[in-house]
Amino acid sequence: MAGTGVGNIFSGVTMDWGFSVSDIWSSSMGIFASLAGFIVLGMVVTFAPRLFGLVRKAVVGGGGRKG
C-alpha cells in the first residue's frame, strides 16, 4: 500500500441487510417528529403561565393611561 493514494475501503464489500438509506432516513424523521412534539409541549408548559399573567394584567388594567 505504500505509495498509493487513499482508496475506497468499501470497494468489493456487499451486504444485504434488508433496508436502504431511504428506510433509515424515514425512520429518523419519524423519531424527530415524535421528539419535536414533546419539545413544543414543554415550551408551551414553560411559557403558558407567563402568557396568562400578561393577558390577566392587560384585562384587569395593569398599566393603561389613567386620566
Side-chain angles (χ1 to χ4, degrees):
M1 281 281 240
T4 61
V6 177
N8 185 359
I9 61 172
F10 297 111
S11 64
V13 176
T14 58
M15 292 185 174
D16 185 20
W17 288 340
F19 58 88
S20 65
V21 174
S22 64
D23 294 332
I24 295 171
W25 180 257
S26 63
S27 297
S28 63
M29 287 296 106
I31 292 170
F32 178 75
S34 298
L35 292 177
F38 285 110
I39 290 170
V40 170
L41 181 64
M43 291 172 61
V44 167
V45 168
T46 302
F47 292 113
R50 293 180 186 176
L51 184 61
F52 290 152
L54 181 66
V55 170
R56 187 177 299 129
K57 284 181 182 178
V59 170
V60 172
R65 286 191 201 171
K66 295 181 182 180

